[in-house]
Amino acid sequence: MRRPQLDIQLKTPEQIEKMRAAGLVVAAALARMREAVAPGVTTADLDAIAESVIRGAGAVPSFKGYHGFPASICSSVNEQIVHAIPSPEQTLRDGDIISIDCGAVLDGWHGDAAITVGVGEVRPELLRMAEVAEDAMWAGIAAAARGAASGKGRLTDISHAVENAVRRAGRYGIVDGYGGHGIGTEMHQDPHVLNHGRPGKGPRLVPGMALAIEPMITMGSPRTAELADGWTVVTRDGSMAVHVEHTMALLPDGVWVLTAPDGGRARLGDLVTSRQPADPAVV
């Protein structure tokens, strides 16, 4: 079923269960890559890990071949914000930060998530920026859950919550033009989810919606540039950037963070649907 105008795909609880399976594949791949990040590791090494985990689970990398993208992950280092192509020539160095974006499709349904990881000894202010992005992402997810529960929530309530969390934390640039998105039988669907804006706008937040929430923030200007490879997006001023993401779905009794191993329970508590077991070990 699709909502009119923006063509928003609404999922049944059973379809969301399938998305959860894809989300757990993504979570497993990201966990393996997080463990592997170290000085001397190349971004191509990380890409190989992701592809192995995804295919080993019976899934397919969402990114590989998507509009010609040549890899299974996006591996954005330092001033790179999103969509950087893994390379055997890009070796991680002590003090770097890397944002790893990963997607998988299983049984026709997609999962999509991203983490930012420090390499070796990293400046505290960079780790703090990654925490700010993470907190902002969870603030957006919580806003979606509360909005759906009240029956009054609108899409930009998520955007407003993300922006507020970032603004309260310090002077960071919030990247414009890039953001979250609907997800389901395709990796990118309506609606686009900005990381800034006034609340109370856009379509209502209702059960069946599945969204990828993904803040991208910088230590400097939010202005961006695209490199000659046609994919890699960097900060125009060369400042460091971070990117985090989770796929979440709204159900009649709460939210389910499909790419979080615990379904979001640790960060969201009772906002999480009863479909998510209370004991994270179950999943």
Side-chain angles (χ1 to χ4, degrees):
M1 182 170 63
R2 292 177 182 267
R3 292 176 68 81
Q5 299 175 343
L6 279 180
D7 195 25
I8 297 172
Q9 182 186 64
L10 298 181
K11 289 79 172 171
T12 67
E14 292 71 30
Q15 290 169 334
I16 291 172
E17 294 271 5
K18 291 180 179 290
M19 291 187 67
R20 172 60 165 170
L24 288 176
V25 173
V26 173
L30 287 170
R32 284 278 299 278
M33 286 184 281
R34 184 189 291 274
E35 292 173 356
V37 167
V41 172
T42 71
T43 53
D45 294 334
L46 299 176
D47 185 65
I49 290 170
E51 181 153 8
S52 175
V53 172
I54 291 168
R55 294 194 185 277
V60 176
S62 300
F63 297 179
K64 199 163 190 177
Y66 183 75
H67 295 295
F69 190 78
S72 297
I73 63 169
C74 300
S75 52
S76 306
V77 179
N78 295 337
E79 78 283 357
Q80 298 170 344
I81 306 168
V82 285
H83 303 161
I85 301 170
S87 168
E89 299 176 358
Q90 186 166 39
T91 301
L92 299 179
R93 299 172 299 177
D94 194 63
D96 285 345
I97 54 172
I98 178 171
S99 297
I100 307 170
D101 195 353
C102 181
V105 56
L106 181 66
D107 196 23
W109 295 92
H110 287 259
D112 188 8
I115 56 175
T116 294
V117 185
V119 183
E121 293 294 324
V122 178
R123 301 198 324 260
E125 61 267 29
L126 297 180
L127 297 177
R128 172 58 183 156
M129 179 168 60
E131 289 177 0
V132 169
E134 185 97 1
D135 289 345
M137 175 185 65
W138 286 107
I141 295 170
R146 293 189 181 100
S150 71
K152 299 178 181 179
R154 298 277 186 173
L155 183 70
T156 63
D157 296 349
I158 300 171
S159 310
H160 185 68
V162 170
E163 180 178 13
N164 269 359
V166 174
R167 298 297 184 213
R168 286 197 304 268
R171 300 187 64 180
Y172 299 100
I174 300 177
V175 176
D176 195 13
Y178 299 88
H181 50 89
I183 184 171
T185 52
E186 299 91 26
M187 182 165 58
H188 292 111
Q189 299 180 328
D190 285 340
H192 184 55
V193 187
L194 290 172
N195 290 314
H196 58 84
R198 295 181 178 179
K201 307 289 185 181
R204 289 196 180 277
L205 298 170
V206 296
M209 291 182 82
L211 304 170
I213 310 302
E214 48 182 321
M216 303 165 213
I217 64 176
T218 74
M219 289 291 284
S221 169
R223 299 183 68 192
T224 65
E226 186 177 271
L227 299 187
D229 63 15
W231 286 101
T232 307
V233 178
V234 300
T235 57
R236 190 168 292 188
D237 63 1
S239 63
M240 298 289 231
V242 297
H243 169 213
V244 296
E245 176 184 17
H246 266 313
T247 295
M248 51 141 278
L250 296 171
L251 286 122
D253 67 339
V255 67
W256 201 354
V257 185
L258 304 175
T259 47
D262 73 344
R265 182 83 58 190
R267 295 294 299 251
L268 301 174
D270 290 342
L271 291 175
V272 174
T273 174
S274 60
R275 286 192 171 233
Q276 165 61 37
D279 179 5
V282 174
V283 295

